[in-house]
Amino acid sequence: MIILSADIGGTTCKLGVLNKALDILHKWEIPTNTEDNGDRILKNVYDSFVLNAKIKGYDMDDAMGIGLGIPGPIDFSSGEVNGAINLNWKGKINIKEQFKEFTHLPVIVDNDANVATLGEKFKGAGQNEPDVICVTLGTGVGGGIICNNELVHGHNGSGGELGHFKVDFKERFQCNCGHKGCLETVSSATGVVNLAYHYYKELQFQTAIEEPILRKTLQAKMVFDAAKSGDEFATYVIKKVAANLAYALSVFSVVTNPKYIIIGGGVSKAGDFLIQHIENVYQNITFGPAMQNTKIVTATLGNDAGIIGAAGLIKQYIIKEQI
């Protein structure tokens, strides 16, 4: 018995064949063809599963289902996505129904950040605990919430959009969602750069990263590297980033009381350095019982989180069991 899964991204689609315990048996990637409004993407994914089955010698009919992670807002009950910019999808598209044109297998679709969260819950840093939050820090901020073993979707699929929680009440930076003040604008890789430019102008620090700031070539990694080397200005910026994250996490903690708060995404490569700055603020502002025995940790699955989590959709909602 196997599970087929796909984590569909704007550049590549990560595909996997997993067993019932969510161990990866095979994994591979195919390019994401976004031409013609992305009309070929789902067929390309299915065809790749069929080809891999022939090469590896397994029967598609042995699969218990196909789980799909999609980079866009998903109505979980219907499998409908309301546009996906990275895939060149416009308007509402029912992914579940389109994919069922290729196969009789059960198909479950969810947002890519949700499936990554489910992957980390089942096989990664979440240690299979029933209450877990994952915050992914990349160019933006994504994430997911698992409460009592269930992903939080909300009535229209917007549950767990952690990056758009308002933390910057000065509303200094524009978010891609159209608002100002979102966590994404002050705690993502973009947010690190936003704050560095802002505080450099406001406070006029002398810093080792002065030249990239003036040349407008600054990257978040430069700020983290400088802070780790003891640069006063870079450390100031990272502490501001961490404080914004800690405030958001303190609110999430009193809402769902997670056992693990998992920090993933490219920015999480800062590791314990970032976690320590977050914890310093988090422990001072969070309601005591809500943070008791809660651990802030970094994600462990890397790029495999998506395919494991997509397979986890089938395990949880079709097979209907926990690991």
Side-chain angles (χ1 to χ4, degrees):
M1 301 293 278
I2 57 174
I3 301 172
L4 307 179
S5 71
D7 180 13
I8 298 176
T11 304
T12 63
C13 300
K14 300 174 181 64
L15 281 64
V17 180
L18 295 86
N19 62 21
K20 192 176 177 182
L22 301 185
D23 300 316
I24 298 173
L25 305 177
H26 316 293
K27 65 176 181 177
W28 68 101
E29 296 182 2
I30 62 171
T32 303
N33 185 349
T34 59
E35 295 178 357
D36 300 323
N37 296 318
D39 288 345
R40 302 185 189 126
I41 294 174
L42 296 180
K43 185 64 162 58
N44 288 348
V45 167
Y46 177 75
D47 288 345
S48 188
F49 279 133
V50 172
L51 178 60
N52 187 71
K54 290 180 180 178
I55 294 171
K56 298 296 185 180
Y58 61 85
D59 193 331
M60 290 279 286
D61 288 336
D62 288 338
M64 292 175 280
I66 301 175
L68 303 175
I70 303 291
I74 300 289
D75 183 325
F76 185 70
S77 60
S78 68
E80 186 176 75
V81 61
N82 189 9
I85 294 173
N86 291 342
L87 304 182
N88 203 20
W89 289 347
K90 301 174 179 67
K92 293 184 177 181
I93 301 172
N94 195 306
I95 305 304
K96 182 186 291 188
E97 292 303 317
Q98 285 199 13
F99 210 87
K100 281 189 172 182
E101 293 178 6
F102 315 132
T103 178
H104 65 280
L105 294 171
V107 177
I108 297 187
V109 186
D110 208 341
N111 172 266
D112 57 351
N114 279 347
V115 299
T117 299
L118 196 61
E120 287 290 344
K121 175 255 197 289
F122 273 135
K123 301 288 280 187
Q127 302 288 315
N128 204 30
E129 286 288 333
D131 298 284
V132 171
I133 290 175
C134 185
V135 182
T136 55
L137 307 174
T139 304
V141 174
I145 299 171
I146 296 175
C147 189
N148 196 24
N149 285 314
E150 294 285 337
L151 278 162
V152 173
H153 295 102
H155 75 93
N156 66 6
S158 296
E161 288 287 349
L162 307 180
H164 301 290
F165 178 76
K166 188 168 184 173
V167 299
D168 179 21
F169 294 98
K170 295 179 180 179
E171 298 185 338
R172 292 168 291 183
F173 312 109
Q174 186 73 46
C175 183
N176 289 331
C177 74
H179 294 288
K180 292 184 177 182
C182 295
L183 181 65
E184 184 167 303
T185 67
V186 290
S187 291
S188 63
T190 303
V192 172
V193 174
N194 283 344
L195 291 179
Y197 283 132
H198 175 79
Y199 286 117
Y200 182 78
K201 292 176 182 177
E202 181 179 283
L203 303 176
Q204 296 183 335
F205 271 89
Q206 286 192 335
T207 171
I209 58 174
E210 181 174 11
E211 185 174 332
I213 290 177
L214 294 176
R215 290 191 177 189
K216 304 293 185 182
T217 58
L218 186 66
Q219 298 177 354
K221 186 178 184 299
M222 297 176 185
V223 183
F224 276 104
D225 288 345
K228 288 178 182 180
S229 298
D231 185 89
E232 183 181 4
F233 173 67
T235 301
Y236 182 87
V237 171
I238 297 307
K239 283 183 176 180
K240 291 292 186 181
V241 169
N244 291 321
L245 282 165
Y247 169 65
L249 297 178
S250 72
V251 176
F252 303 154
S253 291
V254 296
V255 174
T256 68
N257 190 207
K259 173 66 175 180
Y260 288 101
I261 297 172
I262 303 166
I263 308 296
V267 174
S268 73
K269 293 178 181 178
D272 291 342
F273 178 80
L274 176 61
I275 297 295
Q276 187 59 58
H277 282 297
I278 294 171
E279 285 186 334
N280 288 343
V281 180
Y282 176 80
Q283 291 174 1
N284 288 329
I285 65 174
T286 306
F287 177 56
M291 71 172 184
Q292 189 173 8
N293 297 322
T294 292
K295 296 181 180 179
I296 303 176
V297 296
T298 52
T300 62
L301 296 179
N303 289 333
D304 290 340
I307 57 172
I308 293 173
L313 292 172
I314 301 301
K315 184 175 184 66
Q316 183 155 333
Y317 297 102
I318 299 297
I319 307 173
K320 296 184 178 178
E321 67 177 47
Q322 301 294 318
I323 287 180

